[in-house]
Amino acid sequence: MTARAGRVAMLEQFAADGMTRMFGNPGTVEQGFLDELENFPGIGYVLGLQEAAVVGIADGYARAGGRPALVQLHTGVGLGNGIGMLYQAMRGHSPLVVIAGEAGVRYDALDAQMAADLVAMARPVTKYATRVLHPGSLLRVLRRAVKIAMTPPRGPVFVSLPMDVLDELTTEPAVRTVVPTRAVLPVPGELDRAAALLASAQQPIVLLGDGVSVSGAQAELTRVAELLNAPVWGVNDSEVNMDTTHPLYRGQLGHMFGTHSAGVVAGADAVLIAGTYVFPEVFPELRSPFAPGAKIVHVDLNDYEVAKNFPVDVPLVADPKPTLAALGDLLADELPDTGWTDLARHTWTAPEVTDDSPLAERFAAALAAQAGPDLVVFDEALTASPGLVKHLPPRVPGNYFLTRGGSLGVGITGAIGAKLARPEAQVVGFTGDGGSMYTPQALWTAARYGIAARFVVCNNGRYRLLDHNLDQYRAERGIEPHGYPGGFALGDPEIGFVELAAAMGVDGVRVAKVSEVDDAVERMLAASGPFLIDLVTA
């Protein structure tokens, strides 16, 4: 292989891995390879004005495309700005390949300007973090990072790139990264044990998460639930893991307080956990919420999460799709027909809106009617989300993405990334007035590149979710209800979202009355570029 600078070889490696975009915000220590990037027309640079927005857009791109997203951050300060969104990606297992430059290995002893231990900064929010120290292993390390990011359980990875290493010559060939398959089944005896425990249950329940979606196991999961005639609850459930209009699907468990999950699972004598850990609340129960004697089967490729918090009877570290298919076959031989048919999953009727319906529901109903069933929704509406999904239920895999990980600011950025990954789709991102202000710079990126995503800001003038959480906090401690802290309110001064969007080059309109809904939806869907609606939900 001809010797060339590491900064050139690096871009050859990204091209070999089929990466066609680099999401980034430039800096001095990255300028060398960004200059070379101009000679690689197959890798387009997507400029973001702040690193949180950059990582959020990349996360949406990776989720909607099911592919690795390449992210460039600016040394320690840029990595620091992106940490919150990287936490979101880590919790959601998004395959982000994050690189950041640094001045050089030769300067390590000087503790100079912008010096930082980038690997130590990145390690808590990534699946793998490392630093390249020699040009002869530059491409090897990059391939390792891509492999780790894409091998289930997927997740973000980080590689620190010293400028002096990238300036050195390397003869390493750029070859496509090999990602090992993990489409593995448990041994037959363990499958038999799992099927026997589930088949003998009188009150079974199914808990599912995004490992089902990554595996493509929606049909297999649904079949097992039907054979068991078991209610299904979403746990770490931010994508379409099951048609949510199916009568057996009961909704999401709470993400905040463990008492909610405990109440749901307490009556089950057998529990099938698929593609998730339990339980992902901020304040989970310390004692096992499962009934004494309940039999638990846990299926997931993430061995760390299986039986992490509570003992299980049959722990299966395996791919959900073939494992659930095999379980379904075994259960079909043991259980009587429960009467479920394919028709049961496809007879959903949209609820009617009335004069008393909240404006957000009226808007969602109008959007559903005008956009049709192929709409892609990125949902960070939080307290407005239940009304939205009532009329825009998650049904089709790949057409619905919910915020996850606790970071705000993913509604706008996620929609932009999803639209880049799925340019043929109509993509609408819902966010709140609070969440939108974490990454408003992303609107500029949408305008710059003509990314025709749509954004709906559910504007209630406050951090409403904090009101609800504080109500729970007070109730648990016997504190009498009273006014909310002034720091929860956003209305003074009022944020002009349409004006803010216009300043970023994005057209928009404010909707405060029912009579304005239909025209606003029509205008949004017909727009040739990005479009924002300020939807007043207070």
Side-chain angles (χ1 to χ4, degrees):
M1 184 70 189
T2 303
R4 71 280 195 219
R7 63 183 180 273
V8 176
M10 175 186 75
L11 297 173
E12 292 175 356
Q13 181 61 53
F14 293 144
D17 278 324
M19 296 184 181
T20 59
R21 290 186 173 88
M22 179 186 292
F23 301 91
N25 181 265
T28 302
V29 293
E30 295 85 22
Q31 61 192 5
F33 67 78
L34 293 179
D35 191 28
E36 292 289 350
L37 186 61
E38 297 297 308
N39 299 318
F40 286 78
I43 304 177
Y45 191 76
V46 180
L47 174 62
L49 300 183
Q50 207 269 1
E51 288 84 357
V54 169
V55 178
I57 293 171
D59 181 70
Y61 180 82
R63 292 182 69 179
R67 69 189 81 168
L70 177 60
V71 181
Q72 170 266 313
L73 302 179
H74 173 46
T75 194
V77 290
L79 175 59
N81 285 340
I83 288 289
M85 284 295 186
L86 280 174
Y87 180 83
Q88 175 104 353
M90 181 192 69
R91 280 296 182 184
H93 299 289
S94 292
L96 307 187
V97 178
V98 183
I99 59 174
E102 53 171 288
V105 176
R106 72 184 75 176
Y107 304 115
D108 276 7
L110 300 180
D111 191 24
Q113 179 75 2
M114 292 198 298
D117 188 342
L118 303 188
V119 173
M121 289 176 63
R123 187 172 286 124
V125 292
T126 56
K127 185 180 176 186
Y128 172 74
T130 192
R131 185 189 192 206
V132 178
L133 293 174
H134 191 277
S137 288
L138 171 62
L139 304 193
R140 178 180 296 111
V141 170
L142 291 174
R143 284 193 296 273
R144 183 180 302 158
V146 173
K147 183 199 78 166
I148 292 172
M150 286 298 293
T151 302
R154 296 173 178 173
V157 297
F158 174 79
V159 181
S160 178
L161 301 170
M163 183 182 284
D164 51 5
V165 174
L166 295 184
D167 285 340
E168 293 292 327
L169 297 180
T170 180
T171 58
E172 270 193 292
V175 296
R176 192 170 185 87
T177 297
V178 175
V179 178
T181 179
R182 297 200 71 191
V184 293
L185 269 169
V187 296
E190 292 300 291
L191 280 171
D192 290 340
R193 280 211 306 140
L197 290 181
L198 295 172
S200 63
Q202 300 300 309
Q203 298 291 331
I205 191 173
V206 176
L207 305 178
L208 59 73
D210 288 340
V212 172
S213 175
V214 172
S215 178
Q218 293 91 341
E220 291 79 6
L221 184 284
T222 302
R223 180 187 179 214
V224 169
E226 290 176 347
L227 287 165
L228 295 172
N229 200 28
V232 180
W233 289 85
V235 183
N236 209 23
D237 179 26
S238 64
E239 300 188 358
V240 180
N241 298 296
M242 180 181 185
D243 182 346
T244 61
T245 67
H246 193 294
L248 286 175
Y249 184 82
R250 301 298 166 82
Q252 300 244 8
L253 295 183
H255 76 283
M256 190 61 63
F257 301 102
T259 51
H260 183 196
S261 298
V264 168
V265 305
D269 60 354
V271 183
L272 170 61
I273 306 168
T276 184
Y277 72 100
V278 290
F279 289 92
E281 301 99 352
V282 177
F283 303 104
E285 293 286 276
L286 296 179
R287 292 181 295 179
S288 174
F290 300 109
K295 303 301 182 183
I296 303 174
V297 176
H298 197 161
V299 181
D300 198 2
L301 271 173
N302 193 341
D303 59 322
Y304 172 72
E305 302 292 5
V306 174
K308 179 178 74 174
N309 291 323
F310 307 108
V312 303
D313 296 278
V314 186
L316 302 177
V317 180
D319 187 340
K321 185 177 180 67
T323 303
L324 291 170
L327 272 178
D329 291 342
L330 292 171
L331 291 171
D333 291 337
E334 296 292 329
L335 296 172
D337 183 9
T338 53
W340 291 104
T341 66
D342 287 345
L343 182 63
R345 295 197 291 272
H346 300 284
T347 54
W348 177 75
T349 301
E352 294 184 3
V353 292
T354 68
D355 292 341
D356 296 327
S357 297
L359 188 61
E361 290 192 26
R362 301 290 288 262
F363 183 90
L367 178 59
Q370 293 191 40
D374 296 326
L375 180 71
V376 175
V377 172
F378 210 103
D379 183 0
E380 192 196 21
L382 299 180
T383 55
S385 182
L388 298 177
V389 298
K390 184 186 296 185
H391 299 275
L392 295 165
R395 303 194 67 188
V396 179
N399 280 13
Y400 178 81
F401 303 94
L402 181 66
T403 181
R404 57 194 184 186
S407 302
L408 290 178
V410 302
I412 291 174
T413 57
I416 294 171
K419 182 64 176 178
L420 282 171
R422 305 265 300 278
E424 79 292 345
Q426 189 75 266
V427 179
V428 178
F430 289 89
T431 184
D433 46 346
S436 67
M437 292 305 295
Y438 276 61
T439 51
Q441 307 93 335
L443 295 171
W444 182 90
T445 299
R448 178 184 177 96
Y449 298 102
I451 303 167
R454 289 71 170 90
F455 318 106
V456 181
V457 179
C458 298
N459 183 355
N460 59 22
R462 60 188 303 107
Y463 294 116
R464 180 70 69 189
L465 183 61
L466 294 184
D467 294 347
H468 297 335
N469 292 342
L470 186 55
D471 289 340
Q472 176 82 11
Y473 173 90
R474 290 170 175 170
E476 289 178 350
R477 290 157 177 82
I479 299 172
E480 288 295 319
H482 54 278
Y484 298 110
F488 292 6
L490 299 172
D492 184 18
E494 187 174 323
I495 302 169
F497 289 102
V498 173
E499 293 77 13
L500 178 61
M504 300 284 183
V506 174
D507 197 9
V509 65
R510 181 178 173 90
V511 175
K513 297 183 291 188
V514 171
S515 59
E516 299 168 337
V517 167
D518 287 339
D519 287 346
V521 170
E522 182 178 0
R523 182 178 168 190
M524 178 182 74
L525 296 178
S528 59
F531 194 93
L532 180 142
I533 288 180
D534 178 7
L535 182 64
V536 180
T537 59

